[in-house]
Amino acid sequence: MRVEPPLPLTSRAPWEVIFHRGRDGVTLERFLAEAAALAARLPDNGPVLNFCADRYLALLGFAAALSRGQTTLLSADRTPQRLAEIARLHGARYALADSDIALALPVLRPEVAAGSDAPNPLIRADAVAAIAFTSGSTGESQAHPKPWGALVAGARAAAARFAVAPGASIVGTIPAQHMYGFETTLMLPLQGAGAGHAGSVFYPSDIAEALAEVPAPRLLVTTPLQMRALLGTGIALPPLAGVISATAPLAASLAAEAEAAWGAPLHEIYGATEAGSVASRRTLGEEGWEPYDGVDFAIGPEGAVVTVPGLPAPVPLADVLEWVAPGRFRLLGRRGDMVKLAGKRASLSGLTAMLTAIEGVEDGVFLAPEDLDRNPRGRLAALVVAPGLTAEAVVAALRARVEPAFLPRPVVMAAALPRDAVGKLRREDAIRLAWSR
Amino acid sequence: MTTTLSLEAEVAGLIVEALHLEIAPEAIDPEAPLFGEGLGLDSIDALEIALAVSKRYGFQLRSDDERNHRIFRSLRALAAHIETNRTG
């Protein structure tokens, strides 16, 4: 097997600003010194569960752990139950956090402490730098290890694809622990170009303020849901050089509205937690997605598989794809019964299994509306046969097992499900029953 | 106090309408948590509420401070925050 040469922690020059904390620009030189100072304070063994909301602290913790040979566990879900589950299942030895959450392991708060000049450490390309998680069909988290070489290759491909200027400011609205947020707001400044904005940004007014705090050219990295809220409130934004969207397909109408309002090109990233970002398109005028440099798609009748530089094996995708032109593919939909909400995937049959496992539920099914992928406000529905239970009791039981985004709305209690003579669900009747109001 | 109570009912109606909830506005317990337990809202809903509040009451919700947990703690807390900050 070919051994890849080690790669430095960062490709940026010492004087370059790689992060903005408020109005304070952090140069690479200062970042390396602060990361080394933090590394010296870390416990001897990882993995480390890093759920800092401040992106600079998240990056500092990641870099410090990596330089000590420790793997970072990335959980975009900061609920105590989920964090505890990941820590338990994946052997976290300690956590790095900037909020007060009690966990059954030591929680360190990273501090920004000045250090003396520090070198740019070399990291083995096959070292597992981070582990990202998806929730499997049973609801339990599945681990997706990220070798350092894959993260570096992805960041460099993204910087090239979006022609990110070295002095660009990157304001992201997705948690740094979501794979898309991690790649665009931590890895891009570390190994590509631009300077991240440290603050936690979520509501339209947060986004406007964060953009106003950083120098031009400004790149906004966000989601269709947040773009819709931004445009809906009509809040004014400083001039943008570009907008990137991911996590859900973006309607062409919303893309047109955004480009008109902000006067900047809007690109979408296609990716998955398992593979990372692997393709992009300019939403207006381009139906086809262009793979990132070095990424290879094999699209066949059995499904699509993507080969990503730095990942040890090809990754099967949950989407159905087809080629529309040389080097351009189109999304036809999701395979099987997978659905995606709030940047997370689940299978309808897996959710149905959790529903019917509830004590007192005799029969039940999760349903997705036809426009789930196009409607940012789309939600799943559940039809339930449970004579002794109320809809509220069913939702309460599901809440313990299902991510909030997948909780059904509405829950329709029925005397029986519409099934045919052999017991097969009559889908159209079920959908009519679920969304009758 | 009567103003707050009627505003509370109005905000309950706004939440039910904005989020397409399957309950009557008066069925929302004004002291129950809006997120997680209680009404069981999530981050998608938080954006919808922020959007509806900006349109109806003319100000923006923000997430940069500790207040945010207080504001979304309950219908009563959200209504009180709107009472203080509304411009419309």
Side-chain angles (χ1 to χ4, degrees), chain A residues 53-77:
Chain A
D54 179 301
R55 281 172 214 279
Y56 183 67
L57 296 183
L59 179 66
L60 209 54
F62 169 69
L66 187 61
S67 70
R68 292 280 305 267
Q70 300 176 8
T71 299
T72 294
L73 306 178
L74 300 171
S75 175
D77 187 340

Side-chain angles (χ1 to χ4, degrees), chain A residues 217-238:
Chain A
R218 301 176 184 86
L219 182 63
L220 173 63
V221 181
T222 187
T223 67
L225 208 62
Q226 286 161 316
M227 284 177 39
R228 184 177 162 275
L230 272 172
L231 292 165
T233 54
I235 199 163
L237 301 183

Side-chain angles (χ1 to χ4, degrees), chain B residues 2-67:
Chain B
T2 44
T3 332
T4 307
L5 280 180
S6 68
L7 181 65
E8 216 167 84
E10 189 181 300
V11 175
L14 183 83
I15 291 173
V16 167
E17 190 190 311
L19 308 181
H20 300 261
L21 296 182
E22 299 266 317
I23 55 169
E26 53 278 13
I28 298 180
D29 176 350
E31 295 285 0
L34 293 173
F35 290 82
E37 300 297 320
L39 213 47
L41 305 186
D42 61 19
S43 60
I44 300 178
D45 298 318
L47 275 179
E48 285 302 328
I49 293 176
L51 184 53
V53 163
S54 81
K55 284 183 175 166
R56 177 83 63 93
Y57 301 108
F59 77 99
Q60 304 283 345
L61 292 173
R62 321 150 38 103
S63 67
D64 62 342
D65 50 24
E66 295 293 317
R67 279 187 331 183

Side-chain angles (χ1 to χ4, degrees), chain A residues 136-139 337-338 346-357 366 398 401-402:
Chain A
S137 54
T138 57
D337 67 343
M338 297 303 287
S347 101
L348 286 175
S349 55
L351 291 167
T352 294
M354 284 187 259
L355 171 64
T356 52
F366 263 82
L398 282 173
R401 314 161 201 217
V402 174

Side-chain angles (χ1 to χ4, degrees), chain A residues 17-43:
Chain A
V17 170
I18 68 158
F19 244 87
H20 295 288
R21 308 194 76 202
R23 295 181 188 279
D24 190 15
V26 180
T27 60
L28 182 87
E29 192 171 32
R30 185 173 135 197
F31 163 74
L32 285 175
E34 290 174 353
L38 177 60
R41 288 179 47 223
L42 295 182

